Amino acid sequence: MVEEIELYLDEAKQLMEQSLSHVHQAFAKIRAGKATPNMLEGLMVEYYGNSTPINQVASITTPDARTIMIKPWEKNLLSEIEREIMNSDLGLNPQNDGELIRLNIPPLTEERRVQLVKQAKNEAENGKISIRNVRKDTNDSIKDLLKESVSEDEVKRGEDRVQELTDQFTAKVESVFQTKEKEIMTV
């Protein structure tokens, strides 16, 4: 029955890693005043009747720290991409020159930096909540093993190991958040 506890622990670790990965992805979308192609992740355009990510219909480059250039592989997509960027919550104004779209990333104001830190803190908190939910579900599964003749000591050891995993991943989320906070607040 100890093998079952190990299986639950492995599954918990995988789920916690997914939570951490989700936090990383959310942080990649929070801009810190520097242009990155990741900022456009999640934006979809209509391409031959299908909703397609922008990075699959255009090349996205950052010639400098304040500019993103989008060069669609087909010119007829320029207006579609431009409209999608204007309708997004990026707050950017696309400049279409008929060949490509330029996005100028304005420097962040102090007020905007504070907003972005709050947004990052919310994402980090969501990650921690997700990790704690994994802990709860795993502990419930391990406790159910008591009915299947697993000793209370084994269950207690299993729960202790789940708590160690939870502490590790919560600390990782906090560390990632502090790095992002520093990145946002650096002028």
Side-chain angles (χ1 to χ4, degrees):
M1 290 299 172
V2 178
E3 301 89 39
E4 284 190 56
I5 292 176
E6 287 299 321
L7 286 173
Y8 286 133
L9 288 169
D10 288 344
E11 183 183 3
K13 185 174 183 182
Q14 285 178 340
L15 291 170
M16 289 180 185
E17 284 171 350
Q18 287 175 358
S19 297
L20 182 63
S21 173
H22 181 78
V23 170
H24 278 289
Q25 291 170 350
F27 282 177
K29 292 179 184 173
I30 298 175
R31 68 183 183 96
K34 197 171 78 181
T36 64
N38 292 354
M39 293 168 62
L40 302 177
E41 241 174 57
L43 290 183
M44 309 290 264
V45 292
E46 200 64 29
Y47 183 63
Y48 289 110
N50 295 322
S51 196
T52 310
I54 284 182
N55 63 1
Q56 292 182 15
V57 296
S59 66
I60 302 171
T61 57
T62 51
D64 59 56
R66 295 253 178 254
T67 311
I68 297 177
M69 284 184 9
I70 306 163
K71 186 168 176 59
W73 294 311
E74 295 180 23
K75 283 189 179 145
N76 61 344
L77 285 172
L78 275 169
S79 60
E80 182 76 29
I81 292 172
E82 186 178 23
R83 183 173 44 254
E84 185 60 36
I85 292 169
M86 288 198 295
N87 292 338
S88 73
D89 60 355
L90 290 173
L92 298 174
N93 213 358
Q95 296 165 348
N96 181 344
D97 69 4
E99 291 285 319
L100 50 86
I101 295 174
R102 277 190 181 76
L103 297 173
N104 291 317
I105 311 299
L108 295 174
T109 63
E110 189 64 27
E111 183 181 324
R112 182 70 178 134
R113 288 179 195 280
V114 170
Q115 273 181 329
L116 290 175
V117 168
K118 280 184 187 171
Q119 186 181 345
K121 191 164 190 63
N122 282 343
E123 291 296 344
E125 195 52 44
N126 288 341
K128 290 178 188 176
I129 289 169
S130 173
I131 289 168
R132 289 193 297 265
N133 286 339
V134 171
R135 174 187 64 191
K136 180 188 175 304
D137 293 344
T138 305
N139 280 340
D140 289 348
S141 298
I142 290 174
K143 282 179 187 159
D144 288 345
L145 294 177
L146 277 174
K147 298 173 191 154
E148 299 175 23
S149 72
V150 174
S151 73
E152 286 188 28
D153 289 345
E154 289 294 335
V155 169
K156 180 72 179 121
R157 277 194 283 274
E159 288 176 336
D160 289 345
R161 290 186 50 207
V162 170
Q163 186 58 48
E164 287 171 18
L165 271 179
T166 304
D167 293 343
Q168 282 175 6
F169 279 93
T170 302
K172 286 179 184 179
V173 168
E174 189 58 36
S175 168
V176 171
F177 166 69
Q178 288 172 350
T179 304
K180 186 66 177 181
E181 181 181 31
K182 191 187 295 180
E183 178 186 325
I184 292 170
M185 295 310 286
T186 302
V187 180

